[in-house]
Amino acid sequence: THFTKGIAQAFGIDDHELSSPTFSLANEYEGHLPDGTPLLFYHLDCYRFEKPEELLELGVEEYLYPCGGICVIEWPERIEAYIPQNKIEVLFEVISNAERKITIVL
């Protein structure tokens, strides 16, 4: 969620406003591009999904293909079958208690 707060800040969303969607599964925020164009920002946490179909049952699959927005997904491997092809993956590797290695895959 801390990494997501940084992304949200880049789109004009107050990081104090953003919270983990662990129990709500999905949060929606209104931000903007640097030129002022409105942007919808979706934050999903799929940790509690035991099977990908639960995404459809809850009706949040629309967040995966936002028109005029972006979606940040925590635990995306739980819904891999529904992840769009045009994704950007951000992989975190724990090096130590104070250090992480971040890899971005386009």
Side-chain angles (χ1 to χ4, degrees):
T1 298
H2 290 291
F3 186 79
T4 302
K5 285 183 176 189
I7 296 170
Q9 278 184 322
F11 294 109
I13 299 165
D14 183 353
D15 69 339
H16 293 96
E17 179 183 343
L18 193 132
S19 62
S20 176
T22 300
F23 296 104
S24 62
L25 301 178
N27 290 337
E28 181 178 329
Y29 304 93
E30 292 183 15
H32 56 80
L33 296 174
D35 68 1
T37 302
L39 174 94
L40 293 175
F41 186 93
Y42 302 109
H43 183 199
L44 272 73
D45 186 333
C46 299
Y47 179 75
R48 293 186 343 174
F49 289 146
E50 294 188 22
K51 54 186 180 177
E53 296 76 23
E54 290 177 283
L55 180 75
L56 301 176
E57 293 168 8
L58 294 171
V60 294
E61 75 276 4
E62 66 193 52
Y63 296 141
L64 298 177
Y65 306 94
C67 181
I70 64 168
C71 181
V72 176
I73 305 168
E74 296 182 38
W75 299 91
E77 62 274 10
R78 302 217 177 215
I79 60 164
E80 188 68 37
Y82 299 103
I83 300 290
Q85 292 295 316
N86 64 338
K87 64 186 176 212
I88 298 172
E89 288 184 76
V90 180
L91 308 170
F92 293 85
E93 180 182 347
V94 177
I95 304 300
S96 70
N97 283 341
E99 186 178 2
R100 305 289 186 270
K101 176 182 175 185
I102 299 173
T103 304
I104 298 175
V105 181
L106 303 176

